[in-house]
Amino acid sequence: MRENKGDILLLENPCRFAIEVRGVSRIYGASSERVTALGGVFVSIRENEFFTLLGPSGCGKTTLLRLIAGFDFPTEGEILLHGQDIAPLPPFKRPVNTVFQNYALFPHMTVAQNIAFGLEMLGKPKDEIRARVDEMLKLVHMEQMRDRYTGQISGGQQQRVALARALAPQPKVLLLDEPLSALDYKLRKEMQIELKRLQSETGITFIFVTHDQEEALTMSDRIAVMSAGRIHQVGTAREIYDRPADRFVADFIGETNFLQATVVGTANDRATVRLASGEILDAGLPERFKPQGEVTVVIRPEHAQLFADDGEESGIKGVLENVVYFGTDTHYHVRLGGGDIFIVRRQNTRTSVDVLEPGVPVGIRLGSDAALVLRD
Amino acid sequence: MEHTRRAAEKAQRADIRTRWLLSAPALVVIALASVGPLLIVLVYSFLSPGPYGDVIWKPSLEGWFNVFFSRDIFDDTVSFADAHLSILWRSIKLAIGTTFLTFVFGFPTAYFIASRSPRSRAIWLFLITIPFWTNLLIRAFAIQEVIRNEGIINSLLMSAGLITQPIQMMFTDFAIMVGMTYVHLPLMVLPLYASMEKLDFRLVEAGYDLYATRLAVLRRIIIPQVRPGIIAGSILVFIPSLGSYVIPRVLGGGRNLMVGNLIELQFGQGRNWPLGAALSITLVFIVLVALAFYVRNVGKSGGSHG
């Protein structure tokens, strides 16, 4: 029972990064039918950070999490925990704990026994375990449930127990594998706030895996957007949303209008482009990027405004095709001269009236920094 | 109120009647095939032996008396029937040993199969059941061929120069244990596999994640989860190995009797049916006591929740 006591990785010189992933690949299968789950990923996760791996299913985010936890081993590359390579260590020697997607609570143990399990395995003294279990039950507001079996509590309560169980041994890094996906909408919202609170209260680095962009944007300090086994962009929610690095990120996060355009000229970090429909547009450029010829320009629907086209104001011209009411806002689908659909979003107020009917000619007004040229 | 209550009671009575009717065929089969023969054996154990086998319908406690005591044929002095009691005790020891060994070999086997892909699981399970296709007697003789003095093991060891004299394995308790473990192994593997198949391997990962070593995961997570399979497998192995007849007869020779052989002896050469019947009832009683003890002790330590 105590055979592993003491050989849990001890961290001598804490470094700025909790986790550094260096050139990690994970390739499954024999040479004939190789599947690359992760292809040469580099990412550094800071201490005390709420870091999110965001991407569609099959993008490699869970694979990366499992590599950090130690349930799987990289085909190549190394994973550093506070500067020390943990890639060869089995999961039970890594000071890293996981909250599993389906919680994976032990059904033959009570809530308190579940929470105590990790501490028992570390060989902690009995009274220390009891104190720590009490503390954890309080932290997740589950004091009343301590002697229930895990099959006798609700999904949201199981979620809290899973969190308490993973936090009890005070890991250096907490891994969360889509922990909120099984909860209903209201509860999910509650738990998002709860997770944020737990992270700031415990000061533990959280690595959170999700496919839900809203979850990622609202909770994370930084986000890594992944697809097809690689990381497209790492940045804060604002950076990812406002300055997407490539087409995938722009498309995956939020809604975006993609417009084909030709570069007319560039100056500093701005470009002048001509749209397929003939309008000339001023657009921002990503860093160190001087495009020529055909490019894609992205414009967020909420950064554009719609007006009835009476021929007096300039802007992108089109015909209003459809009006979709969403409660908080209304989406206007505009058919542009070149044939593309452009979506404009307007925030609703209680008294806002739709003066524009489908079929009328409309113009689209853009703020000075609404348009952005994509890197590819 | 009164009216609805009476209607509900009536419906409940009808429901109970339906249930009895539905289970009636099963109850008839159980009565005819299990309880009936046992009653006959019980009655026989209280009768007198006939001169050429069979029983005489004269009540007697002689059969039961002979289970535990023996009367000297010359001077009628009474002493404990050491032979019977030691054979009973040996049988219990061998049955426990067999159960233990089948668990030791069966657990990793079942775990191995349960952790394969669903398609190869079917193949492995199929391989496990192959020995059932062959007659028990033939399998016993096959083992004899492996372990007898001129058998495969001894001749290999001797030709390799490791031993000069063959190791005596036939006609020992070792031979009986080998045979019974081999024969009963599938009965342990199949129920173990059935409960391991339901095992959530994510719980195993959760255990590793919480600093449990492989041994701790086995003890604290896997074994509690597959406890029903362990209980079922142990019962399925213990009962037939306690009453084993063919294996001790072939591999134990005439000298290493088990209670099954003793009973057979009474109905055959011994021509003492009441004693055989009394020994049979004793065996049933031992099984019942062992089962009650086992289920209570193994069943309770996992908590009532499953």
Side-chain angles (χ1 to χ4, degrees), chain A residues 3-4 8 66 71 91-92 94-98 100 102 104-109 117-118 120-122 149 165 169, chain B residues 200 202-217 219-222 224-225 302-306:
Chain A
E3 61 223 286
N4 54 5
I8 301 296
R66 291 175 61 81
F71 302 138
F92 52 85
R94 301 182 184 200
V96 168
N97 290 132
T98 308
F100 293 87
N102 53 3
L105 296 175
F106 304 128
H108 56 290
M109 299 183 196
F117 188 83
E120 280 174 31
M121 291 300 122
L122 285 171
Y149 281 96
R165 184 179 73 172
Chain B
D200 186 354
R202 286 170 296 203
L203 297 181
V204 174
E205 275 188 355
Y208 287 140
D209 188 64
L210 292 162
Y211 312 108
T213 57
R214 290 174 185 86
L215 189 68
V217 165
R219 274 190 35 213
R220 297 286 305 271
I221 294 161
I222 298 177
Q225 297 281 315
S304 57
H305 191 80

Side-chain angles (χ1 to χ4, degrees), chain B residues 38 50 54 78-79 89 91 101 114 127 137-138 145 148 189-190 197 201 220-221 230 234 236 256-257 283 287 296:
Chain B
L38 209 58
D54 211 336
V78 171
S79 58
W89 179 231
S91 304
L101 283 179
L127 291 176
L137 203 57
I138 294 171
E145 196 51 43
R148 71 195 170 95
V189 171
L190 294 177
E197 196 197 15
F201 279 87
R220 297 286 305 271
I221 294 161
I230 298 175
S234 302
L236 283 180
N256 295 293
L257 290 182
L283 184 61
V287 167
R296 273 187 68 170

Side-chain angles (χ1 to χ4, degrees), chain A residues 52-57 61 178 180-181 185 188-189 192 208-220 223 252-253:
Chain A
T52 298
L53 300 171
L54 173 66
S57 61
K61 55 191 194 298
E178 308 222 13
L180 307 182
S181 58
Y185 184 77
R188 199 156 67 222
K189 287 279 162 205
Q192 286 178 11
F208 185 86
V209 160
T210 185
H211 63 269
D212 182 338
Q213 46 165 306
E214 187 191 317
E215 232 166 66
L217 293 176
T218 54
M219 297 165 75
S220 321
I223 301 166
F252 188 71
I253 312 286

Side-chain angles (χ1 to χ4, degrees), chain B residues 65-71 77-85:
Chain B
F65 180 83
N66 283 330
V67 171
F68 302 104
F69 305 102
S70 62
R71 186 175 282 128
T77 51
V78 171
S79 58
F80 267 112
D82 295 338
H84 293 174
L85 295 180

Side-chain angles (χ1 to χ4, degrees), chain B residues 143 147 169-180 247 251:
Chain B
I143 295 174
I147 63 172
M169 288 182 283
M170 274 304 288
F171 314 125
T172 62
D173 282 359
F174 169 79
I176 298 178
M177 288 279 271
V178 167
M180 295 214 301
I247 292 291
L251 299 176

Side-chain angles (χ1 to χ4, degrees), chain B residues 4 7 10 24 31 33 40 43 54 78 118 147 151 212 215 218 234 278 280 285 298 300:
Chain B
T4 45
K10 203 174 158 193
I40 294 172
V43 169
D54 211 336
V78 171
I147 63 172
L215 189 68
L218 180 70
S234 302
S280 301
F285 185 71
V298 181
K300 76 179 173 198

Side-chain angles (χ1 to χ4, degrees), chain B residues 67-273:
Chain B
V67 171
F68 302 104
F69 305 102
S70 62
R71 186 175 282 128
D72 196 290
I73 46 169
F74 298 111
D75 56 8
D76 276 6
T77 51
V78 171
S79 58
F80 267 112
D82 295 338
H84 293 174
L85 295 180
S86 74
I87 286 172
L88 268 176
W89 179 231
R90 261 172 47 86
S91 304
I92 292 169
K93 276 194 299 187
L94 283 172
I96 290 172
T98 303
T99 310
F100 177 75
L101 283 179
T102 51
F103 177 73
V104 166
F105 291 112
F107 192 91
T109 311
Y111 190 89
F112 174 83
I113 298 173
S115 54
R116 295 307 98 184
S117 72
R119 255 184 65 186
S120 52
R121 277 183 213 171
I123 298 169
W124 287 107
L125 280 178
F126 173 73
L127 291 176
I128 289 285
T129 56
I130 281 185
F132 283 136
W133 299 7
T134 318
N135 185 290
L136 176 60
L137 203 57
I138 294 171
R139 281 183 282 158
F141 280 118
I143 295 174
Q144 188 177 23
E145 196 51 43
V146 175
I147 63 172
R148 71 195 170 95
N149 285 4
E150 299 81 25
I152 294 172
I153 292 178
N154 273 320
S155 52
L156 272 178
L157 287 176
M158 276 167 72
S159 64
L162 290 171
I163 51 170
T164 49
Q165 288 285 313
I167 302 169
Q168 178 66 44
M169 288 182 283
M170 274 304 288
F171 314 125
T172 62
D173 282 359
F174 169 79
I176 298 178
M177 288 279 271
V178 167
M180 295 214 301
T181 303
Y182 164 67
V183 165
H184 294 120
L185 193 58
L187 298 176
M188 180 62 91
V189 171
L190 294 177
L192 274 180
Y193 166 77
S195 54
M196 274 184 201
E197 196 197 15
K198 282 180 276 175
L199 178 72
D200 186 354
F201 279 87
R202 286 170 296 203
L203 297 181
V204 174
E205 275 188 355
Y208 287 140
D209 188 64
L210 292 162
Y211 312 108
T213 57
R214 290 174 185 86
L215 189 68
V217 165
L218 180 70
R219 274 190 35 213
R220 297 286 305 271
I221 294 161
I222 298 177
I223 289 186
Q225 297 281 315
V226 301
R227 183 165 267 121
I230 298 175
I231 293 176
S234 302
I235 290 171
L236 283 180
V237 171
F238 180 78
I239 294 174
S241 53
L242 185 61
S244 230
Y245 168 71
V246 171
I247 292 291
R249 180 72 184 272
V250 174
L251 299 176
R255 296 182 301 157
N256 295 293
L257 290 182
M258 283 181 68
V259 66
N261 309 99
L262 185 63
I263 291 168
E264 187 267 347
L265 211 55
Q266 305 315 319
F267 284 99
Q269 293 152 296
R271 278 177 279 175
N272 192 346
W273 286 24

